[in-house]
Amino acid sequence: MKARLFILSLCCAIAAVSCQKEEKTKEPTKGPVTITLSRDDIGTKTTLTTSGAGLNRVWSASDKVSVIDAYGNNEMFTLVSGAGTATATFSNASSVYATGTHGIRVIYPYTNTKDGYNWWIRSMENQGTGSLANLGNYDFLYREGSIVDGIYTSGGTFNSQSTFFKIPSGIKFLNTTGSSTIETMVLEETANKMGYRARNNSNSNSAAVDNGSVTLENIPLTDGALTQDVFISFIYRSTPDYNFNLKIKLVGNATIYTFPLMTSEYLTNNHIYNFTQAKFTPKDI
C-alpha cells in the first residue's frame, strides 16, 4: 500500500529555519549526492497504516523528495534503497550540491508545481475518496539540514504538519435504503482557520499557508452509511475552538447535507481524530 507524504512546515515552523547561504565564489561542480532519511529522523514512516491515534509509515520504491536551497534550487532525489523499511537512501546523480556549502530543506513528497514565479505549491484541496492508501499524498513532511561538499547532515527531524480526521466505516449520514454515492464531501472550518495548501518561496526561506476547504469525491454508501473508512487531512493551526462543518452532496441530488463537527481542544499534527456516530445525526432524504 503506497502513499505519499509530505509536509511543509507552517509559517511559524519555517520562519524558524535559517538555511546557510551557499558559497557562490565559483560555479559548483555537479556530481552524485545521497541523503539518508531514517526512522530516527522521521519518527514515523511513509506508507500509512493506523496505529492508535498515530500513523505508521514505510518508504515506497518510487518515493522522491525535494531538496531546496536558499536560492530556490529544487532538485529531485529518488529512493535508491530502503523501500519497505523505515530507513531509505535517496540520490541525485548530478546534483548542484556536490560541492560547496548549502543550507537545504528536504520536503516529501517531491513537487515541481509553481504558483507564478516565486512559490512551490503543495495542495491538499482535493483528496479523492479519502482512502487510507491515498492519505500519504496529503501528509506533508519537512526537515532542514545542510550539505557540505556532497556530505549531508541532518538538521532535525521530519515533521508532519497535517492533522487527520477519521470517519469510520458504518457511520450513518442519511435515512435511506439501498446503494448511493457521495458526489462531494467537503470539510470546512467556519472561521476559515483550516489550512489546505502550503506554499514555499523559491527565492527565500519564507512560507505561507492558505486557508480553505478540503474536498473528497465518489464515496459509496449503503443504506445511508459509509462502506469504508474515510480519512481527511488538513494543515492544523495551534488554536483551540475549531468549528468544522462536513457537507455531503449525493450524485443526482442537489441537496447539501451539513453536519457540524466541533472540537474545543488544541489540534495536534500527525494525530488522527476519530469520530463516532454520536457526532452525526442522520438526515432524512
Side-chain angles (χ1 to χ4, degrees), residues 157-176:
T157 61
F158 252 142
N159 291 313
S160 169
Q161 302 301 319
S162 286
T163 297
F164 307 96
F165 283 173
K166 178 183 178 182
I167 307 172
S169 175
I171 291 291
K172 188 174 180 63
F173 290 119
L174 303 170
N175 291 317
T176 185

Side-chain angles (χ1 to χ4, degrees), residues 23-278:
E23 293 179 352
K24 290 290 186 176
T25 56
K26 61 180 180 179
E27 192 68 23
T29 301
K30 294 184 178 180
V33 175
T34 62
I35 61 176
T36 298
L37 308 175
S38 73
R39 181 185 177 96
D40 288 340
D41 291 329
I42 62 175
T44 48
K45 318 172 200 178
T46 67
T47 290
L48 297 182
T49 58
T50 57
S51 175
L55 298 173
N56 296 320
R57 305 174 179 89
V58 294
W59 294 108
S60 297
S62 59
D63 275 343
K64 300 175 179 63
V65 297
S66 281
V67 177
I68 303 176
D69 62 29
Y71 292 90
N73 296 310
N74 177 14
E75 293 192 355
M76 180 175 68
F77 278 62
T78 302
L79 185 143
V80 293
S81 65
T85 73
T87 300
T89 297
F90 297 79
S91 181
N92 183 304
S94 65
S95 173
V96 70
Y97 306 123
T99 61
T101 298
H102 310 267
I104 54 97
R105 295 170 293 249
V106 182
I107 297 167
Y108 180 87
Y110 170 78
T111 182
N112 61 356
T113 302
K114 269 198 172 182
D115 176 16
Y117 180 73
N118 291 326
W119 296 93
W120 302 110
I121 298 297
R122 294 157 187 89
S123 178
M124 51 216 318
E125 182 175 10
N126 298 296
Q127 299 185 16
T129 62
S131 68
L132 179 62
N134 196 43
L135 184 62
N137 292 302
Y138 310 104
D139 182 8
F140 297 157
L141 297 176
Y142 166 87
R143 75 178 312 160
E144 60 185 278
S146 62
I147 299 176
V148 179
D149 292 332
I151 305 300
Y152 169 72
T153 302
S154 168
T157 61
F158 252 142
N159 291 313
S160 169
Q161 302 301 319
S162 286
T163 297
F164 307 96
F165 283 173
K166 178 183 178 182
I167 307 172
S169 175
I171 291 291
K172 188 174 180 63
F173 290 119
L174 303 170
N175 291 317
T176 185
T177 58
S179 298
S180 55
T181 301
I182 295 175
E183 180 178 329
T184 57
M185 175 183 287
V186 178
L187 180 69
E188 63 181 18
E189 206 285 322
T190 58
N192 199 34
K193 295 187 293 185
M194 185 179 78
Y196 80 98
R197 187 172 73 167
R199 295 183 289 124
N200 192 82
N201 195 293
S202 59
N203 296 321
S204 71
N205 295 332
S206 63
V209 173
D210 298 322
N211 293 335
S213 61
V214 169
T215 300
L216 283 65
E217 299 177 329
N218 300 318
I219 301 170
L221 299 176
T222 297
D223 297 336
L226 290 174
T227 61
Q228 65 182 52
D229 293 340
V230 170
F231 293 85
I232 306 174
S233 175
F234 59 93
I235 301 173
Y236 85 108
R237 300 295 205 204
S238 298
T239 58
D241 300 322
Y242 279 85
N243 294 299
F244 296 93
N245 282 328
L246 187 72
K247 297 180 175 181
I248 67 172
K249 176 185 176 299
L250 298 184
V251 173
N253 186 336
T255 304
I256 295 175
Y257 302 94
T258 300
F259 301 88
L261 297 176
M262 293 182 287
T263 177
S264 60
E265 61 187 305
Y266 280 88
L267 298 177
T268 60
N269 59 341
N270 200 34
H271 187 92
I272 298 175
Y273 293 85
N274 293 276
F275 290 100
T276 65
Q277 185 65 61

